[in-house]
Amino acid sequence: MADFELFFDHTCPYCYRGHAYLKELLPKFPNAKIAWRPVEAHPKVEEPEHKPYEDLAVMGALFVREHNPDLEQAYHERVYKANFEERKAVDDISVLAQCAGELGVDAAAFEKALKNGTYAEALSAANDHAYEVQKIWAVPSYVCGEKRLDAVPGVGVTKEQVEALLRECFG
C-alpha cells in the first residue's frame, strides 16, 4: 500500500476545500494511508509580505506528529477551523497552542517549542521535500507513488479529481 502524500497550507482556501473533499471520501477507501505534509505555500523568508504566515502552524503540526501522532489529522482540522471559520490569527503562537491544547496536546510544551524554533529545521526539510523532491508547484497537491494531482493555481482541485486519484491508488 503506497503512501498518499497530501501537501497543503493551513491558510490556503483551496487546501481547506480539498481537505473537506478528502475527509468525505476517505471512508470509501479504508486501506488509504495519508501522509500529511503541511508546507508553506508562501514561505515567510521568500515572501515576507504574504500573511498570514504558515511557518508556525507547520512547526506546530510537526510537534503534534512527534508527540501525539494520533492527533495529527485533528490538529490540521482544528487549525483550518480556527483560520477559516473562527477567523483567528493562525500565525499567533498562543492561538495555535490553544488549538493544540483543546485536542489534549501539552499546550505549554507546544508553545515553548514554537517560541524556541525547535522545529525550524524540520519546517525547512518539509518545504524542501515538497518543492525540491516532489516538485510541488501549487497546493493542495496529492502524490501517490508515480501518480499525482496538482492544484491549478487560483482554482484548486475538484472532488472528482481527488476521488479518481484515490481509486487509482487504493482501488
Side-chain angles (χ1 to χ4, degrees), residues 4 21-29 32-34 142 144 147 149 159-171:
F4 187 95
Y21 296 155
L22 189 60
K23 186 176 173 184
E24 180 183 334
L25 293 167
L26 278 177
K28 295 180 182 182
F29 303 93
K33 180 183 173 195
I34 306 300
Y142 309 78
C144 184
K147 299 170 181 70
L149 170 60
K159 180 177 165 185
E160 293 76 18
Q161 289 173 309
V162 175
E163 185 169 14
L165 184 60
L166 285 166
R167 281 196 196 295
E168 283 186 60
C169 294
F170 304 108

Side-chain angles (χ1 to χ4, degrees), residues 22-161:
L22 189 60
K23 186 176 173 184
E24 180 183 334
L25 293 167
L26 278 177
K28 295 180 182 182
F29 303 93
N31 296 328
K33 180 183 173 195
I34 306 300
W36 303 96
R37 304 282 189 226
V39 296
E40 296 176 281
H42 302 279
K44 183 176 8 178
V45 175
E46 297 170 15
E47 300 179 49
E49 73 286 350
H50 192 289
K51 289 187 173 195
Y53 299 130
E54 172 69 346
D55 59 331
L56 293 171
V58 174
M59 288 189 275
L62 297 169
F63 177 94
V64 172
R65 181 182 298 158
E66 181 176 339
H67 297 279
N68 305 85
D70 292 340
L71 296 177
E72 184 178 4
Q73 182 180 359
Y75 173 82
H76 298 310
E77 290 176 13
R78 183 64 189 97
V79 174
Y80 273 134
K81 181 179 179 183
N83 186 58
F84 289 102
E85 296 173 29
E86 299 167 354
R87 301 290 187 208
K88 292 184 178 177
V90 295
D91 53 359
D92 181 315
I93 291 175
S94 64
V95 168
L96 294 169
Q98 179 183 359
C99 290
E102 289 171 10
L103 301 172
V105 172
D106 180 340
F110 177 97
E111 190 167 342
K112 181 179 178 184
L114 268 59
K115 283 182 179 175
N116 291 339
T118 304
Y119 292 87
E121 285 184 33
L123 167 67
S124 181
N127 286 340
D128 285 347
H129 176 70
Y131 301 117
E132 302 302 323
V133 175
Q134 291 292 10
K135 305 297 184 198
I136 300 302
W137 53 274
V139 290
S141 285
Y142 309 78
V143 177
C144 184
E146 296 298 315
K147 299 170 181 70
R148 64 186 299 137
L149 170 60
D150 292 307
V152 173
V155 177
V157 297
T158 67
K159 180 177 165 185
E160 293 76 18
Q161 289 173 309

